[in-house]
């Protein structure tokens, strides 16, 4: 399966600031997704990153808060904007082929907001 | 949208015994059901999956069963080993008309007692 690299692996940020998380895949993939995993919780889909067009967001997530880019078939970014302590989570990138499955995950970015 | 329930939240078994984790889903159109293992500090790792046209699938010590009528699926781990200790997540994905991402259960913390 594809090798998925996320940067940074962890960060501690001040409230009110923004952080951009990168997801790089070692091969071209059709689909890329961003998930959030709050401490001790399950994973929740934030959005589907669409190449060359705006991301598709799930209910409860908005573009102003979580802008996403996907310039090509191997790379995507997620920005967490105007951060507050409630944004402290693990943010995970996943990838899949044209059939949406199976989905494989990176190791995530562990974000703490002070 | 899809809703996935997972039980139990914690499961402790003796090394060598079997472990069973159960999930139910709400959307009868869902057609793909993966299981992930997440170790501390890592992203979820796909361990087995099943599609709705199959009732059972095995891979060495791991098996998954699916009952479409009852809308539930289960993970079976036989001859458990200490390295099986982790959090396990079930998930489901619909057949279309909505998100292409996964809906996850809340997770099961599996503890293998030596």
């Amino acid at each position: 399966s594809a090798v998925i690299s996320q940067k940074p692996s962890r960060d501690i940020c001040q409230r009110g600031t923004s952080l951009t998380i990168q997801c790089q895949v070692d091969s071209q993939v059709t689909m890329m997704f961003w998930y959030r995993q709050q401490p001790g919780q399950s994973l929740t889909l934030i959005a589907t990153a669409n190449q060359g067009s705006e991301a598709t967001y799930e209910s409860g997530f908005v573009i102003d808060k979580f802008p996403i880019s996907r310039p090509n078939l191997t790379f995507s970014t997620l920005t967490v904007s105007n951060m507050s302590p409630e944004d402290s989570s693990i943010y995970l990138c996943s990838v899949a082929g044209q059939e949406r499955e199976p989905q494989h995950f990176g190791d995530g970015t562990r974000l703490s907001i002070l | 949208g899809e809703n996935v329930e997972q039980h139990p939240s914690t499961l402790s078994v003796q090394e060598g015994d079997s472990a069973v984790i159960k999930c139910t889903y709400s959307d009868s159109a869902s057609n793909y059901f993966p299981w992930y293992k997440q170790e501390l500090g890592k992203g979820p790792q796909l361990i087995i999956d099943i599609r709705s046209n199959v009732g059972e699938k095995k891979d060495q010590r791991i098996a998954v069963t699916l009952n479409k009528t009852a809308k539930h699926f289960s993970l079976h781990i036989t001859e458990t080993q200490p390295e099986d200790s982790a959090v396990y997540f079930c998930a489901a994905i619909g057949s279309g008309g909505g998100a292409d991402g996964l809906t996850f259960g809340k997770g099961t913390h599996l503890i293998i007692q030596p």
Side-chain angles (χ1 to χ4, degrees), chain A residues 1-7 22-27 29 31-34 74-76 91-96 102-108, chain B residues 43-44:
Chain A
S1 60
V3 176
I4 304 162
S5 302
Q6 280 189 237
K7 289 183 181 179
Q22 299 180 0
C23 178
Q24 178 75 55
V25 192
D26 69 343
S27 59
V29 292
M31 309 204 74
M32 296 182 79
F33 305 91
W34 288 98
T74 64
F75 186 77
S76 179
Y91 292 87
L92 296 137
C93 168
S94 79
V95 304
Q103 289 190 21
H104 297 283
F105 286 82
D107 280 338

Side-chain angles (χ1 to χ4, degrees), chain B residues 71-84:
Chain B
K71 291 191 284 188
H72 67 70
F73 57 112
S74 300
L75 177 71
H76 305 253
I77 305 175
T78 59
E79 300 173 8
T80 53
Q81 301 169 3
E83 53 264 37
D84 294 330

Side-chain angles (χ1 to χ4, degrees), chain A residues 31 33 35 37 41-43 45 48 58 92 100-107 110, chain B residues 32 36 38 41-44 46 51 89 93-95 99-102 104-106:
Chain A
M31 309 204 74
F33 305 91
Y35 290 81
Q37 187 175 25
Q41 302 296 314
S42 186
L43 289 82
L45 179 66
T48 303
E58 294 305 297
L92 296 137
R100 306 176 299 164
E101 69 213 32
Q103 289 190 21
H104 297 283
F105 286 82
D107 280 338
R110 282 146 184 81
Chain B
Y32 175 68
Y36 290 87
Q38 187 174 30
K42 299 279 191 180
L46 179 68
R51 291 171 176 79
F89 291 97
I93 193 168
S95 59
D100 290 324
L102 295 163
F104 283 83
K106 291 190 181 300

Side-chain angles (χ1 to χ4, degrees), chain B residues 38-69:
Chain B
Q38 187 174 30
E39 297 175 313
L40 202 60
K42 299 279 191 180
Q45 176 191 3
L46 179 68
I47 56 172
I48 196 167
D49 57 10
I50 192 167
R51 291 171 176 79
S52 59
N53 58 348
V54 175
E56 183 176 3
K57 183 177 178 180
K58 288 184 180 179
D59 183 3
Q60 299 183 359
R61 296 187 296 110
I62 295 174
V64 57
T65 58
L66 171 65
N67 183 326
K68 285 174 56 179
T69 303

Side-chain angles (χ1 to χ4, degrees), chain B residues 1 5 12 23 61 84 99 113-114:
Chain B
E5 300 283 341
S12 180
C23 289
R61 296 187 296 110
D84 294 330
Q113 302 279 6

Side-chain angles (χ1 to χ4, degrees), chain A residues 26-96:
Chain A
D26 69 343
S27 59
Q28 293 186 343
V29 292
T30 305
M31 309 204 74
M32 296 182 79
F33 305 91
W34 288 98
Y35 290 81
R36 180 175 73 182
Q37 187 175 25
Q38 294 178 302
Q41 302 296 314
S42 186
L43 289 82
T44 301
L45 179 66
I46 296 172
T48 303
N50 301 309
Q51 192 218 348
S53 64
E54 194 171 285
T56 304
Y57 289 85
E58 294 305 297
S59 175
F61 298 96
V62 295
I63 187 171
D64 290 346
K65 177 68 175 177
F66 298 102
I68 288 170
S69 78
R70 188 171 175 199
N72 56 49
L73 293 176
T74 64
F75 186 77
S76 179
T77 67
L78 168 74
T79 300
V80 186
S81 302
N82 188 25
M83 290 183 287
S84 66
E86 293 72 36
D87 294 320
S88 296
S89 292
I90 303 171
Y91 292 87
L92 296 137
C93 168
S94 79
V95 304

